[in-house]
Amino acid sequence: MIMKALLHVFAMVVAAWEAAAQDAPQDDQCVRERAAMVETIRAYARSDATALGPQGLSERVLEAMAQTKRHLFIPERSCMIAYADSPVPIGLGQTISQPYIVALMTHLAQVASDHVVLEVGTGSGYQAAILARLARKVCTIEIIPQLAETATKTLRDLAYDNVSVRLGDGYDGWPECGPFDAIIVTAALGHVPPRLIEQLNVGGRLVMPVGAGFTTQQLTIVEKTAPGKTTTRVVALVRFVPFTRSQN
């Protein structure tokens, strides 16, 4: 019986080693592809000083992009697809944004390590994962049940313990989780939802595409300078899926 148990354990160890050996080439490729993605982001940043400002793209943001396994947030889990310089479909008419746009929006939000951040439009959970590496707490809202469920599982499996996912309409924000030091909206709407501004701390920033869906929109920063006072600045032209509202 002892010999049989030992053989069973040995077989399990061998199987685990073989599985790890099979995954190793893909992991190595993903590391290379992710590093190439970060260099592409750097190249875009060097040519986009107008949007980024004189200091350029935050190194904290670049490090978060380098550490986050984007391929685990898409259905194919393909390194070649995940780290390409383009948006990636995640089903149900939704996408993960182009890597540079994710980096740009995160940079513009100016997230600090003690911040509480709201994301409207969880999608696959990739943007939330980036924010989780930068902020103390991330609250993210997704209106499509299948995406909310998948993102919750992915983030939990990858031990992003400072992220909370809520199923619902993000137009009115998430007051119970705030107030927020930064808000990122990952879908286009013709105006900035007023309740989001209400939930933003003074000194905080909201970053979102403003305009109609499936057309060119204006990537906009709204900074809350005092209670009831904001400044607004357009930094780039972008194309995002439309902001989805609840039918109720």
Side-chain angles (χ1 to χ4, degrees):
M1 291 294 292
I2 294 175
M3 181 61 70
K4 185 176 181 180
L6 287 173
L7 289 172
H8 179 68
V9 171
F10 178 74
M12 290 178 63
V13 170
V14 170
W17 181 86
E18 289 177 344
Q22 290 175 357
D23 289 342
Q26 184 186 26
D27 289 344
D28 290 344
Q29 181 191 5
C30 285
V31 170
R32 293 191 299 270
E33 298 279 2
R34 193 156 57 248
M37 177 194 75
V38 171
E39 289 309 307
T40 300
I41 293 170
R42 285 186 188 276
Y44 273 115
R46 285 192 291 270
S47 63
D48 201 7
T50 303
L52 294 169
Q55 302 301 318
L57 192 62
S58 163
E59 285 296 325
R60 289 185 70 234
V61 172
L62 287 169
E63 183 178 354
M65 300 287 291
Q67 292 175 345
T68 305
K69 297 180 178 180
R70 182 175 164 100
H71 63 284
L72 299 182
F73 291 89
I74 65 171
E76 299 86 352
R77 298 208 163 192
S78 160
C79 300
M80 184 177 297
I81 295 172
Y83 300 110
D85 180 35
S86 63
V88 179
I90 56 173
L92 301 168
Q94 305 300 304
T95 61
I96 296 180
S97 295
Q98 174 189 1
Y100 176 65
I101 297 299
V102 174
L104 175 61
M105 293 181 72
T106 306
H107 169 85
L108 295 173
Q110 295 188 351
V111 179
S113 58
D114 61 341
H115 279 183
V116 177
V117 181
L118 173 67
E119 178 196 23
V120 178
T122 312
S124 71
Y126 177 66
Q127 174 73 80
I130 297 291
L131 293 169
R133 293 184 177 275
L134 301 169
R136 177 171 64 85
K137 182 172 77 168
V138 178
C139 308
T140 180
I141 307 173
E142 174 55 56
I143 196 169
I144 301 175
Q146 300 96 310
L147 293 180
E149 181 180 353
T150 301
T152 299
K153 183 179 185 306
T154 302
L155 291 163
R156 183 178 62 242
D157 290 348
L158 295 174
Y160 286 98
D161 299 327
N162 60 336
V163 180
S164 298
V165 181
R166 178 182 184 179
L167 174 64
D169 186 336
Y171 185 85
D172 290 324
W174 191 347
E176 301 83 0
C177 213
F180 303 103
D181 302 290
I183 298 175
I184 290 180
V185 181
T186 62
L189 191 64
H191 62 277
V192 178
R195 290 292 304 278
L196 297 186
I197 299 298
E198 291 175 12
Q199 293 165 41
L200 193 63
N201 281 326
V202 172
R205 286 183 161 204
L206 178 148
V207 181
M208 69 173 288
V210 176
F214 302 118
T215 63
T216 300
Q217 304 116 15
Q218 297 178 323
L219 184 60
T220 303
I221 304 171
V222 180
E223 186 168 2
K224 192 169 187 178
T225 56
K229 293 185 178 181
T230 60
T231 61
T232 302
R233 178 165 62 98
V234 173
V235 297
L237 298 179
V238 291
R239 289 178 69 91
F240 277 76
V241 296
F243 193 110
T244 304
R245 294 299 315 276
S246 171
Q247 297 302 312
N248 298 322

